[in-house]
Amino acid sequence: MKPQAKSYLITVFMGALLLAGCATGPAGKQAQTSASNRVLAAYEVPDLLAQAAPAVSQSLDKNLPDDVSDTDRQRLRDVVFDAYDPQALQADVAESLREQARTDGREPALVAAAEALDTPLATKMIGLESTTGEANFAQNFKAFVDQPATDRRKARLRQIDSLAQDMQIIELQTGFNVTLLEAMIRARNAASGPQHQVDAPRIEQMVAKTRGNIEGKLEQRVPLMLLYVYRDVSNAELESYVQLQSRPELVWTNQALKKSIIDALSDAGERVASNFQNAS
C-alpha cells in the first residue's frame, strides 16, 4: 500500500452480527484483534507504514541547513527510524482501529470487513492495484488515458469517482503526505539554529498549501488510475464492487482505518522532535 502507487481497498460487506452480545468478552477481544490485524495485512498497511521513516529521513537530508553537523544528522536519522518503526506503527494503527470499533459500536463491521477480504471479488480487485508498481505502468497508463473517451469509459469513471470517495483514497494519501511533511519541518526545527527556524504560522501555511496541491492532483489522477487498473474488469463486477463499497459498514471501516493511520503517523512525528531534543 504505497502512498502514490497504491490505494487501500476495503471490500465486500458480510452482514451477520458476529460479535453480538459477546464483544467485551475474551472471544470478542480475540476476534477484534484478529480482525484489525487481518485488515491491515490485506490492505498492505505495513508496506505503507514502512515508507514513512525513509520518506521523512530523505526529506530532512535535502532540507537541513548546511551548518547542521554530521553527528546531529546521524542522530536525527536514528531518531526518525526509531519513531517510525514499522512494527510499532502497525501495532498503534491496529489498536486505534479496534478502539474506534469499540467506541462507535462497530465491532461487527470490523470483523465483517476482515472476513470479506478473503472473497474472490476483494482478492481480485486488490490484486489489480499491484500493477501500479510495475516498471512500465506510467507509460502504459499514459497511453490508456490518451485514448478517446468513449461512453463506456465515461460511465465507468462516474462509478469510480464514487468508489474512490467511499474508500477514502484521496483523503488517506493526502493525509499521509501532509503529515510526514509537517513532521519533517518540525524535526528540521529541532535540529536547526534559531536563524533557520520555521515559525508556527509559516508551518500552517506550508501545510495548507501542500494539502491543497496534493488534493487537487489526486482528485484528477486517482480516478483515472483506478479506471486503468480495472480496465479488464467486467461492468457487472465493477458495479457489484461499487455497491459493496458504498455500504455503511465499509464506509465506516474506510474512515476508521484512514484516521488510525494518520493519527499514528502524527504521533510518531511528534516523537521525532521531542526525542531529538531530549537526547541533545
Side-chain angles (χ1 to χ4, degrees):
M1 178 173 164
K2 301 178 181 179
Q4 295 182 355
K6 295 182 181 179
S7 58
Y8 70 101
L9 303 179
I10 303 176
T11 54
V12 189
F13 169 59
M14 296 183 65
L17 299 180
L18 300 177
L19 297 182
C22 64
T24 59
K29 292 180 180 179
Q30 183 177 3
Q32 287 298 295
T33 299
S34 174
S36 62
N37 291 336
R38 290 163 61 197
V39 165
L40 267 61
Y43 304 150
E44 300 182 340
V45 172
D47 290 347
L48 174 68
L49 299 176
Q51 297 178 53
V56 173
S57 183
Q58 291 169 15
S59 184
L60 278 169
D61 286 343
K62 296 177 180 178
N63 288 281
L64 283 173
D66 293 338
D67 57 4
V68 176
S69 68
D70 290 342
T71 298
D72 280 347
R73 287 173 182 270
Q74 182 59 55
R75 186 156 55 85
L76 185 57
R77 189 176 299 113
D78 292 341
V79 169
V80 166
F81 276 86
D82 181 67
Y84 289 100
D85 175 73
Q87 292 186 340
L89 288 176
Q90 184 177 343
D92 289 344
V93 172
E95 174 55 33
S96 175
L97 191 56
R98 292 192 293 270
E99 179 60 29
Q100 288 186 76
R102 288 192 293 268
T103 300
D104 295 349
R106 303 311 297 266
E107 293 98 333
L110 181 58
V111 174
E115 292 292 335
L117 294 173
D118 292 330
T119 61
L121 178 60
T123 301
K124 176 178 180 177
M125 300 301 277
I126 293 172
L128 287 172
E129 290 202 326
S130 65
T131 62
T132 60
E134 294 177 353
N136 296 326
F137 176 82
Q139 179 180 351
N140 295 335
F141 171 62
K142 184 179 184 305
F144 175 81
V145 171
D146 288 343
Q147 295 174 5
T150 63
D151 290 340
R152 178 178 183 270
R153 175 181 290 196
K154 292 177 182 178
R156 288 167 71 91
L157 191 57
R158 286 193 293 269
Q159 291 177 300
I160 287 172
D161 282 335
S162 175
L163 186 66
Q165 182 176 354
D166 288 336
M167 293 189 297
Q168 296 281 294
I169 296 173
I170 294 172
E171 292 82 357
L172 172 62
Q173 295 195 13
T174 299
F176 180 91
N177 285 280
V178 169
T179 301
L180 296 190
L181 169 65
E182 188 170 7
M184 184 280 291
I185 297 172
R186 297 191 185 283
R188 180 185 181 279
N189 276 353
S192 303
Q195 70 277 21
H196 298 298
Q197 297 286 313
V198 181
D199 60 26
R202 177 58 177 158
I203 293 176
E204 292 180 6
Q205 182 182 28
M206 294 170 66
V207 168
K209 181 178 180 180
T210 300
R211 182 183 298 277
N213 289 339
I214 292 176
E215 283 180 341
K217 292 178 180 178
L218 290 177
E219 285 171 357
Q220 294 179 346
R221 181 180 179 85
V222 166
L224 291 173
M225 289 182 66
L226 291 178
L227 182 68
Y228 174 68
V229 299
Y230 297 153
R231 64 192 182 280
D232 295 326
V233 173
S234 70
N235 290 343
E237 282 184 305
L238 179 59
E239 176 62 25
S240 295
Y241 195 60
V242 170
Q243 291 179 358
L244 289 170
Q245 285 287 358
S246 68
R247 293 178 182 268
E249 292 78 7
L250 299 184
V251 172
W252 177 88
T253 305
N254 288 334
Q255 293 173 342
L257 180 57
K258 177 205 66 179
K259 183 178 186 304
S260 296
I261 292 171
I262 301 307
D263 286 352
L265 293 174
S266 180
D267 291 344
E270 292 181 3
R271 290 195 297 271
V272 171
S274 61
N275 291 350
F276 180 83
Q277 291 172 334
N278 293 335
S280 299

